Amino acid sequence: MPPARHVAIACALALVLGPLAAAPSAQGRPKVKFHQDWARHPSARYAAMSAGQCREALVQRKIAFEPVPRAPGVLAPVRLTQGVGGVLYRTAEPAHRRAQNPNDVFDCRLALALSDFSRILRVHDVDEVLMYSAWRPPPKTWPEGKLATRHPGGLAIDVYRLVKEREGGGPAEEWLDIERDFDGRRGAPVCGERAGAAGRSGAAGRGGRGGRGPAADAATRELRSIVCEAVDQHIFTSILTPNYDRAHKNHLHLEVTPGVQWHLVR
């Protein structure tokens, strides 16, 4: 790895000890943080875009995409046909099935946020993100033309694994796994001085993966750093982690939310 990348990673890891991104709250209960300059945050700028403005921005960033003819609840539905900023975001479905899989559809505004997130991930040698879903179609009774938020609006992604670039094209694959490596505690702050990983409770289990993941402490520090860098840059409106509740023990929920002046990190 080039020396410059080592420096970048060292600086990134330091962000874990930076200021808290959101005040702590009772376990499982969200507490948002408001900002006077919210409109300048990337998440707010993307959320305020029209469909045309967003697709134009994708073209300007040279992000390959295909418009989706119909996706109820989604303002500007797209499929990301290649990597975004050097990172491929996908479900575990085979490639030929992903082309028709609704969970591989994104609102264009989320795609822009992911292109920013990719810059963080590439510093950490991540070139693939495995997700449970982006869009989750709303009920069939959903009113035609009505926009949704979160997953029904294609504005959220549930990430469960960050796959590292293979060195020299070799067969060995290494990844950061949210359930295995985040090592959090429900109700604890995600970032800041009080956000140290809780008790190394999963360290023994992580050590038995046949070299498929970094050493336990290093993996936890790196994963926390990636999350807290995204927090610091205000790429997403909401970031929910295993610290939030039991339902999020195995993934990161990353969301862009239109029409709000706050962000949430739990």
Side-chain angles (χ1 to χ4, degrees):
M1 185 183 297
R5 181 164 288 185
H6 281 294
V7 173
I9 290 177
C11 294
L13 291 172
L15 284 172
V16 178
L17 301 178
L20 286 177
S25 64
Q27 180 173 320
R29 296 178 57 192
K31 186 173 184 180
V32 300
K33 186 171 183 179
F34 291 84
H35 287 266
Q36 289 184 332
D37 60 346
W38 66 275
R40 298 172 58 186
H41 295 164
S43 57
R45 289 189 287 105
Y46 300 150
M49 286 182 172
S50 67
Q53 289 171 332
C54 187
R55 292 192 182 106
E56 183 178 347
L58 287 184
V59 172
Q60 290 174 348
R61 295 191 186 193
K62 296 181 170 56
I63 297 173
F65 70 95
E66 293 179 353
V68 175
R70 187 174 186 276
V74 185
L75 173 69
V78 298
R79 291 188 184 274
L80 302 175
T81 56
Q82 299 176 16
V84 178
V87 179
L88 178 64
Y89 295 85
R90 67 174 183 87
T91 64
E93 292 287 337
H96 70 281
R97 294 181 60 179
R98 292 202 303 272
Q100 302 297 325
N101 182 23
N103 299 142
D104 282 280
V105 172
F106 303 81
D107 186 286
C108 173
R109 296 167 292 176
L110 176 60
L112 288 177
L114 293 177
S115 72
D116 290 350
F117 190 45
S118 293
R119 288 198 290 268
I120 296 174
L121 296 177
R122 291 304 298 137
V123 171
H124 294 268
D125 296 318
V126 172
D127 66 356
E128 192 169 24
V129 170
L130 292 178
M131 64 180 187
Y132 291 122
S133 66
W135 182 46
R136 295 179 196 158
K140 293 182 179 180
T141 56
W142 189 261
E144 189 69 30
K146 181 179 178 180
L147 296 180
T149 57
R150 301 184 180 89
H151 289 288
L155 288 165
I157 178 175
D158 282 350
V159 172
Y160 68 88
R161 181 171 293 171
L162 307 177
V163 182
K164 296 253 187 175
E165 183 177 6
R166 299 187 185 191
E167 294 185 7
E173 190 172 68
E174 189 175 286
W175 60 75
L176 298 171
D177 186 271
I178 308 307
E179 184 170 15
R180 185 188 71 195
D181 296 321
F182 192 84
D183 204 18
R185 182 179 65 247
R186 284 193 292 278
V190 175
C191 302
E193 294 180 356
R194 299 171 56 198
R200 310 260 71 82
S201 58
R206 286 198 299 273
R209 290 297 299 272
R212 300 247 177 193
D217 285 354
T220 299
R221 288 196 301 269
E222 186 169 26
L223 183 53
R224 293 294 190 93
S225 175
I226 289 170
V227 172
C228 293
E229 288 171 73
V231 170
D232 186 66
Q233 295 181 32
H234 300 287
I235 295 172
F236 303 103
T237 314
S238 296
I239 296 179
L240 301 179
T241 75
N243 282 14
Y244 178 48
D245 61 12
R246 186 178 296 274
H248 291 80
K249 69 176 183 177
N250 61 355
H251 68 275
L252 302 174
H253 173 95
L254 310 176
E255 178 185 331
V256 172
T257 310
V260 299
Q261 301 181 18
W262 46 261
H263 78 243
L264 170 66
V265 181
R266 292 293 294 124

PDB file of all heavy atoms in Angstrom, residues 128-155:
ATOM      1  N   GLU A 128     -16.127  -3.241  -2.858  1.00  0.00           N
ATOM      2  CA  GLU A 128     -17.441  -3.856  -3.040  1.00  0.00           C
ATOM      3  C   GLU A 128     -18.217  -3.772  -1.725  1.00  0.00           C
ATOM      4  O   GLU A 128     -17.658  -4.001  -0.650  1.00  0.00           O
ATOM      5  CB  GLU A 128     -17.289  -5.316  -3.458  1.00  0.00           C
ATOM      6  CG  GLU A 128     -18.571  -5.958  -3.938  1.00  0.00           C
ATOM      7  CD  GLU A 128     -18.324  -7.310  -4.598  1.00  0.00           C
ATOM      8  OE1 GLU A 128     -17.290  -7.947  -4.307  1.00  0.00           O
ATOM      9  OE2 GLU A 128     -19.161  -7.731  -5.407  1.00  0.00           O
ATOM     10  N   VAL A 129     -19.491  -3.421  -1.825  1.00  0.00           N
ATOM     11  CA  VAL A 129     -20.378  -3.331  -0.669  1.00  0.00           C
ATOM     12  C   VAL A 129     -21.553  -4.276  -0.886  1.00  0.00           C
ATOM     13  O   VAL A 129     -22.273  -4.162  -1.889  1.00  0.00           O
ATOM     14  CB  VAL A 129     -20.883  -1.889  -0.475  1.00  0.00           C
ATOM     15  CG1 VAL A 129     -21.994  -1.843   0.575  1.00  0.00           C
ATOM     16  CG2 VAL A 129     -19.743  -0.955  -0.081  1.00  0.00           C
ATOM     17  N   LEU A 130     -21.724  -5.201   0.034  1.00  0.00           N
ATOM     18  CA  LEU A 130     -22.865  -6.109  -0.032  1.00  0.00           C
ATOM     19  C   LEU A 130     -23.986  -5.570   0.848  1.00  0.00           C
ATOM     20  O   LEU A 130     -23.750  -5.172   1.993  1.00  0.00           O
ATOM     21  CB  LEU A 130     -22.468  -7.508   0.424  1.00  0.00           C
ATOM     22  CG  LEU A 130     -21.484  -8.248  -0.504  1.00  0.00           C
ATOM     23  CD1 LEU A 130     -21.125  -9.600   0.078  1.00  0.00           C
ATOM     24  CD2 LEU A 130     -22.067  -8.408  -1.894  1.00  0.00           C
ATOM     25  N   MET A 131     -25.186  -5.562   0.303  1.00  0.00           N
ATOM     26  CA  MET A 131     -26.333  -4.981   1.002  1.00  0.00           C
ATOM     27  C   MET A 131     -27.487  -5.964   0.986  1.00  0.00           C
ATOM     28  O   MET A 131     -27.612  -6.805   0.099  1.00  0.00           O
ATOM     29  CB  MET A 131     -26.745  -3.678   0.330  1.00  0.00           C
ATOM     30  CG  MET A 131     -27.236  -3.851  -1.098  1.00  0.00           C
ATOM     31  SD  MET A 131     -27.703  -2.290  -1.867  1.00  0.00           S
ATOM     32  CE  MET A 131     -28.427  -2.876  -3.405  1.00  0.00           C
ATOM     33  N   TYR A 132     -28.350  -5.829   1.980  1.00  0.00           N
ATOM     34  CA  TYR A 132     -29.590  -6.603   1.971  1.00  0.00           C
ATOM     35  C   TYR A 132     -30.569  -6.011   0.959  1.00  0.00           C
ATOM     36  O   TYR A 132     -31.241  -6.747   0.239  1.00  0.00           O
ATOM     37  CB  TYR A 132     -30.218  -6.620   3.360  1.00  0.00           C
ATOM     38  CG  TYR A 132     -29.424  -7.422   4.366  1.00  0.00           C
ATOM     39  CD1 TYR A 132     -28.950  -6.830   5.535  1.00  0.00           C
ATOM     40  CD2 TYR A 132     -29.132  -8.766   4.147  1.00  0.00           C
ATOM     41  CE1 TYR A 132     -28.225  -7.559   6.460  1.00  0.00           C
ATOM     42  CE2 TYR A 132     -28.405  -9.496   5.068  1.00  0.00           C
ATOM     43  CZ  TYR A 132     -27.950  -8.893   6.228  1.00  0.00           C
ATOM     44  OH  TYR A 132     -27.215  -9.616   7.137  1.00  0.00           O
ATOM     45  N   SER A 133     -30.645  -4.694   0.933  1.00  0.00           N
ATOM     46  CA  SER A 133     -31.571  -4.056  -0.005  1.00  0.00           C
ATOM     47  C   SER A 133     -31.317  -2.564  -0.051  1.00  0.00           C
ATOM     48  O   SER A 133     -30.749  -1.982   0.877  1.00  0.00           O
ATOM     49  CB  SER A 133     -33.030  -4.306   0.413  1.00  0.00           C
ATOM     50  OG  SER A 133     -33.307  -3.666   1.648  1.00  0.00           O
ATOM     51  N   ALA A 134     -31.738  -1.966  -1.152  1.00  0.00           N
ATOM     52  CA  ALA A 134     -31.926  -0.519  -1.228  1.00  0.00           C
ATOM     53  C   ALA A 134     -33.444  -0.311  -1.259  1.00  0.00           C
ATOM     54  O   ALA A 134     -34.080  -0.213  -0.222  1.00  0.00           O
ATOM     55  CB  ALA A 134     -31.220   0.058  -2.441  1.00  0.00           C
ATOM     56  N   TRP A 135     -34.036  -0.319  -2.469  1.00  0.00           N
ATOM     57  CA  TRP A 135     -35.491  -0.150  -2.567  1.00  0.00           C
ATOM     58  C   TRP A 135     -36.224  -1.395  -2.084  1.00  0.00           C
ATOM     59  O   TRP A 135     -35.849  -2.529  -2.392  1.00  0.00           O
ATOM     60  CB  TRP A 135     -35.874   0.118  -4.017  1.00  0.00           C
ATOM     61  CG  TRP A 135     -37.338   0.358  -4.254  1.00  0.00           C
ATOM     62  CD1 TRP A 135     -38.166   1.171  -3.539  1.00  0.00           C
ATOM     63  CD2 TRP A 135     -38.147  -0.196  -5.302  1.00  0.00           C
ATOM     64  NE1 TRP A 135     -39.432   1.166  -4.063  1.00  0.00           N
ATOM     65  CE2 TRP A 135     -39.450   0.328  -5.155  1.00  0.00           C
ATOM     66  CE3 TRP A 135     -37.888  -1.084  -6.343  1.00  0.00           C
ATOM     67  CZ2 TRP A 135     -40.492   0.003  -6.018  1.00  0.00           C
ATOM     68  CZ3 TRP A 135     -38.915  -1.413  -7.207  1.00  0.00           C
ATOM     69  CH2 TRP A 135     -40.206  -0.882  -7.043  1.00  0.00           C
ATOM     70  N   ARG A 136     -37.273  -1.146  -1.304  1.00  0.00           N
ATOM     71  CA  ARG A 136     -38.223  -2.199  -0.947  1.00  0.00           C
ATOM     72  C   ARG A 136     -39.597  -1.711  -1.403  1.00  0.00           C
ATOM     73  O   ARG A 136     -40.123  -0.731  -0.842  1.00  0.00           O
ATOM     74  CB  ARG A 136     -38.233  -2.443   0.561  1.00  0.00           C
ATOM     75  CG  ARG A 136     -36.919  -2.987   1.098  1.00  0.00           C
ATOM     76  CD  ARG A 136     -36.978  -3.173   2.592  1.00  0.00           C
ATOM     77  NE  ARG A 136     -35.653  -3.321   3.166  1.00  0.00           N
ATOM     78  CZ  ARG A 136     -35.357  -3.093   4.445  1.00  0.00           C
ATOM     79  NH1 ARG A 136     -36.313  -2.703   5.289  1.00  0.00           N
ATOM     80  NH2 ARG A 136     -34.122  -3.248   4.876  1.00  0.00           N
ATOM     81  N   PRO A 137     -40.158  -2.323  -2.410  1.00  0.00           N
ATOM     82  CA  PRO A 137     -41.406  -1.816  -2.978  1.00  0.00           C
ATOM     83  C   PRO A 137     -42.491  -1.646  -1.920  1.00  0.00           C
ATOM     84  O   PRO A 137     -42.667  -2.513  -1.049  1.00  0.00           O
ATOM     85  CB  PRO A 137     -41.785  -2.889  -4.002  1.00  0.00           C
ATOM     86  CG  PRO A 137     -40.480  -3.524  -4.369  1.00  0.00           C
ATOM     87  CD  PRO A 137     -39.658  -3.512  -3.120  1.00  0.00           C
ATOM     88  N   PRO A 138     -43.211  -0.535  -1.983  1.00  0.00           N
ATOM     89  CA  PRO A 138     -44.327  -0.334  -1.049  1.00  0.00           C
ATOM     90  C   PRO A 138     -45.480  -1.268  -1.391  1.00  0.00           C
ATOM     91  O   PRO A 138     -45.437  -1.976  -2.410  1.00  0.00           O
ATOM     92  CB  PRO A 138     -44.708   1.132  -1.281  1.00  0.00           C
ATOM     93  CG  PRO A 138     -44.292   1.414  -2.679  1.00  0.00           C
ATOM     94  CD  PRO A 138     -43.056   0.576  -2.925  1.00  0.00           C
ATOM     95  N   PRO A 139     -46.527  -1.292  -0.565  1.00  0.00           N
ATOM     96  CA  PRO A 139     -47.670  -2.181  -0.856  1.00  0.00           C
ATOM     97  C   PRO A 139     -48.292  -1.868  -2.212  1.00  0.00           C
ATOM     98  O   PRO A 139     -48.172  -0.755  -2.734  1.00  0.00           O
ATOM     99  CB  PRO A 139     -48.639  -1.873   0.285  1.00  0.00           C
ATOM    100  CG  PRO A 139     -47.816  -1.255   1.365  1.00  0.00           C
ATOM    101  CD  PRO A 139     -46.694  -0.537   0.689  1.00  0.00           C
ATOM    102  N   LYS A 140     -48.959  -2.866  -2.774  1.00  0.00           N
ATOM    103  CA  LYS A 140     -49.591  -2.676  -4.079  1.00  0.00           C
ATOM    104  C   LYS A 140     -50.658  -1.596  -4.051  1.00  0.00           C
ATOM    105  O   LYS A 140     -51.038  -1.053  -5.087  1.00  0.00           O
ATOM    106  CB  LYS A 140     -50.186  -4.000  -4.560  1.00  0.00           C
ATOM    107  CG  LYS A 140     -49.133  -5.047  -4.875  1.00  0.00           C
ATOM    108  CD  LYS A 140     -49.765  -6.327  -5.396  1.00  0.00           C
ATOM    109  CE  LYS A 140     -48.693  -7.370  -5.731  1.00  0.00           C
ATOM    110  NZ  LYS A 140     -49.289  -8.636  -6.237  1.00  0.00           N
ATOM    111  N   THR A 141     -51.157  -1.296  -2.862  1.00  0.00           N
ATOM    112  CA  THR A 141     -52.174  -0.250  -2.729  1.00  0.00           C
ATOM    113  C   THR A 141     -51.564   1.149  -2.679  1.00  0.00           C
ATOM    114  O   THR A 141     -52.292   2.126  -2.519  1.00  0.00           O
ATOM    115  CB  THR A 141     -52.988  -0.483  -1.442  1.00  0.00           C
ATOM    116  OG1 THR A 141     -52.079  -0.543  -0.310  1.00  0.00           O
ATOM    117  CG2 THR A 141     -53.763  -1.784  -1.523  1.00  0.00           C
ATOM    118  N   TRP A 142     -50.244   1.248  -2.800  1.00  0.00           N
ATOM    119  CA  TRP A 142     -49.579   2.551  -2.732  1.00  0.00           C
ATOM    120  C   TRP A 142     -50.120   3.469  -3.827  1.00  0.00           C
ATOM    121  O   TRP A 142     -50.176   3.096  -4.996  1.00  0.00           O
ATOM    122  CB  TRP A 142     -48.068   2.376  -2.891  1.00  0.00           C
ATOM    123  CG  TRP A 142     -47.293   3.626  -2.620  1.00  0.00           C
ATOM    124  CD1 TRP A 142     -46.791   4.500  -3.538  1.00  0.00           C
ATOM    125  CD2 TRP A 142     -46.917   4.155  -1.339  1.00  0.00           C
ATOM    126  NE1 TRP A 142     -46.125   5.542  -2.925  1.00  0.00           N
ATOM    127  CE2 TRP A 142     -46.186   5.351  -1.572  1.00  0.00           C
ATOM    128  CE3 TRP A 142     -47.122   3.736  -0.029  1.00  0.00           C
ATOM    129  CZ2 TRP A 142     -45.668   6.120  -0.535  1.00  0.00           C
ATOM    130  CZ3 TRP A 142     -46.602   4.503   1.008  1.00  0.00           C
ATOM    131  CH2 TRP A 142     -45.891   5.679   0.754  1.00  0.00           C
ATOM    132  N   PRO A 143     -50.532   4.701  -3.491  1.00  0.00           N
ATOM    133  CA  PRO A 143     -51.114   5.610  -4.498  1.00  0.00           C
ATOM    134  C   PRO A 143     -50.125   5.942  -5.614  1.00  0.00           C
ATOM    135  O   PRO A 143     -48.952   6.226  -5.349  1.00  0.00           O
ATOM    136  CB  PRO A 143     -51.465   6.859  -3.681  1.00  0.00           C
ATOM    137  CG  PRO A 143     -51.571   6.381  -2.269  1.00  0.00           C
ATOM    138  CD  PRO A 143     -50.573   5.279  -2.134  1.00  0.00           C
ATOM    139  N   GLU A 144     -50.567   5.901  -6.831  1.00  0.00           N
ATOM    140  CA  GLU A 144     -49.739   6.213  -7.979  1.00  0.00           C
ATOM    141  C   GLU A 144     -49.223   7.649  -7.878  1.00  0.00           C
ATOM    142  O   GLU A 144     -49.980   8.584  -7.639  1.00  0.00           O
ATOM    143  CB  GLU A 144     -50.534   6.040  -9.278  1.00  0.00           C
ATOM    144  CG  GLU A 144     -49.705   6.141 -10.532  1.00  0.00           C
ATOM    145  CD  GLU A 144     -48.749   4.958 -10.695  1.00  0.00           C
ATOM    146  OE1 GLU A 144     -49.085   3.856 -10.224  1.00  0.00           O
ATOM    147  OE2 GLU A 144     -47.680   5.153 -11.299  1.00  0.00           O
ATOM    148  N   GLY A 145     -47.921   7.817  -8.037  1.00  0.00           N
ATOM    149  CA  GLY A 145     -47.318   9.147  -8.010  1.00  0.00           C
ATOM    150  C   GLY A 145     -46.914   9.642  -6.637  1.00  0.00           C
ATOM    151  O   GLY A 145     -46.226  10.655  -6.523  1.00  0.00           O
ATOM    152  N   LYS A 146     -47.307   8.959  -5.586  1.00  0.00           N
ATOM    153  CA  LYS A 146     -46.934   9.386  -4.238  1.00  0.00           C
ATOM    154  C   LYS A 146     -45.512   8.923  -3.932  1.00  0.00           C
ATOM    155  O   LYS A 146     -45.161   7.768  -4.136  1.00  0.00           O
ATOM    156  CB  LYS A 146     -47.896   8.797  -3.202  1.00  0.00           C
ATOM    157  CG  LYS A 146     -47.574   9.215  -1.773  1.00  0.00           C
ATOM    158  CD  LYS A 146     -48.566   8.622  -0.779  1.00  0.00           C
ATOM    159  CE  LYS A 146     -48.213   9.013   0.652  1.00  0.00           C
ATOM    160  NZ  LYS A 146     -49.169   8.440   1.636  1.00  0.00           N
ATOM    161  N   LEU A 147     -44.699   9.860  -3.426  1.00  0.00           N
ATOM    162  CA  LEU A 147     -43.318   9.532  -3.108  1.00  0.00           C
ATOM    163  C   LEU A 147     -43.197   8.993  -1.690  1.00  0.00           C
ATOM    164  O   LEU A 147     -43.931   9.404  -0.792  1.00  0.00           O
ATOM    165  CB  LEU A 147     -42.428  10.771  -3.262  1.00  0.00           C
ATOM    166  CG  LEU A 147     -42.321  11.347  -4.677  1.00  0.00           C
ATOM    167  CD1 LEU A 147     -41.411  12.556  -4.687  1.00  0.00           C
ATOM    168  CD2 LEU A 147     -41.814  10.284  -5.657  1.00  0.00           C
ATOM    169  N   ALA A 148     -42.266   8.079  -1.513  1.00  0.00           N
ATOM    170  CA  ALA A 148     -41.999   7.489  -0.202  1.00  0.00           C
ATOM    171  C   ALA A 148     -40.608   7.906   0.275  1.00  0.00           C
ATOM    172  O   ALA A 148     -39.830   8.525  -0.468  1.00  0.00           O
ATOM    173  CB  ALA A 148     -42.106   5.963  -0.278  1.00  0.00           C
ATOM    174  N   THR A 149     -40.290   7.568   1.499  1.00  0.00           N
ATOM    175  CA  THR A 149     -38.967   7.807   2.052  1.00  0.00           C
ATOM    176  C   THR A 149     -38.355   6.461   2.457  1.00  0.00           C
ATOM    177  O   THR A 149     -38.933   5.408   2.238  1.00  0.00           O
ATOM    178  CB  THR A 149     -39.030   8.749   3.274  1.00  0.00           C
ATOM    179  OG1 THR A 149     -39.922   8.179   4.255  1.00  0.00           O
ATOM    180  CG2 THR A 149     -39.540  10.123   2.874  1.00  0.00           C
ATOM    181  N   ARG A 150     -37.184   6.514   3.028  1.00  0.00           N
ATOM    182  CA  ARG A 150     -36.467   5.328   3.495  1.00  0.00           C
ATOM    183  C   ARG A 150     -36.401   4.273   2.377  1.00  0.00           C
ATOM    184  O   ARG A 150     -36.213   4.600   1.221  1.00  0.00           O
ATOM    185  CB  ARG A 150     -37.099   4.797   4.775  1.00  0.00           C
ATOM    186  CG  ARG A 150     -37.112   5.831   5.909  1.00  0.00           C
ATOM    187  CD  ARG A 150     -37.664   5.259   7.204  1.00  0.00           C
ATOM    188  NE  ARG A 150     -37.653   6.274   8.249  1.00  0.00           N
ATOM    189  CZ  ARG A 150     -38.635   7.123   8.495  1.00  0.00           C
ATOM    190  NH1 ARG A 150     -39.740   7.078   7.763  1.00  0.00           N
ATOM    191  NH2 ARG A 150     -38.540   8.021   9.464  1.00  0.00           N
ATOM    192  N   HIS A 151     -36.548   3.009   2.723  1.00  0.00           N
ATOM    193  CA  HIS A 151     -36.432   1.960   1.708  1.00  0.00           C
ATOM    194  C   HIS A 151     -37.552   2.005   0.671  1.00  0.00           C
ATOM    195  O   HIS A 151     -37.281   1.820  -0.527  1.00  0.00           O
ATOM    196  CB  HIS A 151     -36.394   0.582   2.372  1.00  0.00           C
ATOM    197  CG  HIS A 151     -35.112   0.314   3.104  1.00  0.00           C
ATOM    198  ND1 HIS A 151     -33.914   0.064   2.467  1.00  0.00           N
ATOM    199  CD2 HIS A 151     -34.835   0.272   4.433  1.00  0.00           C
ATOM    200  CE1 HIS A 151     -32.965  -0.128   3.360  1.00  0.00           C
ATOM    201  NE2 HIS A 151     -33.490  -0.011   4.562  1.00  0.00           N
ATOM    202  N   PRO A 152     -38.807   2.252   1.042  1.00  0.00           N
ATOM    203  CA  PRO A 152     -39.842   2.313   0.001  1.00  0.00           C
ATOM    204  C   PRO A 152     -39.615   3.434  -1.014  1.00  0.00           C
ATOM    205  O   PRO A 152     -40.154   3.372  -2.120  1.00  0.00           O
ATOM    206  CB  PRO A 152     -41.129   2.549   0.807  1.00  0.00           C
ATOM    207  CG  PRO A 152     -40.843   1.958   2.145  1.00  0.00           C
ATOM    208  CD  PRO A 152     -39.403   2.275   2.396  1.00  0.00           C
ATOM    209  N   GLY A 153     -38.827   4.451  -0.640  1.00  0.00           N
ATOM    210  CA  GLY A 153     -38.491   5.517  -1.572  1.00  0.00           C
ATOM    211  C   GLY A 153     -37.156   5.307  -2.264  1.00  0.00           C
ATOM    212  O   GLY A 153     -36.699   6.186  -3.005  1.00  0.00           O
ATOM    213  N   GLY A 154     -36.509   4.161  -2.034  1.00  0.00           N
ATOM    214  CA  GLY A 154     -35.204   3.903  -2.635  1.00  0.00           C
ATOM    215  C   GLY A 154     -34.107   4.786  -2.073  1.00  0.00           C
ATOM    216  O   GLY A 154     -33.050   4.933  -2.686  1.00  0.00           O
ATOM    217  N   LEU A 155     -34.334   5.340  -0.878  1.00  0.00           N
ATOM    218  CA  LEU A 155     -33.429   6.335  -0.306  1.00  0.00           C
ATOM    219  C   LEU A 155     -32.578   5.789   0.841  1.00  0.00           C
ATOM    220  O   LEU A 155     -31.916   6.564   1.532  1.00  0.00           O
ATOM    221  CB  LEU A 155     -34.235   7.553   0.182  1.00  0.00           C
ATOM    222  CG  LEU A 155     -34.803   8.429  -0.934  1.00  0.00           C
ATOM    223  CD1 LEU A 155     -35.869   9.368  -0.380  1.00  0.00           C
ATOM    224  CD2 LEU A 155     -33.690   9.228  -1.601  1.00  0.00           C
TER     225      LEU A 155
END
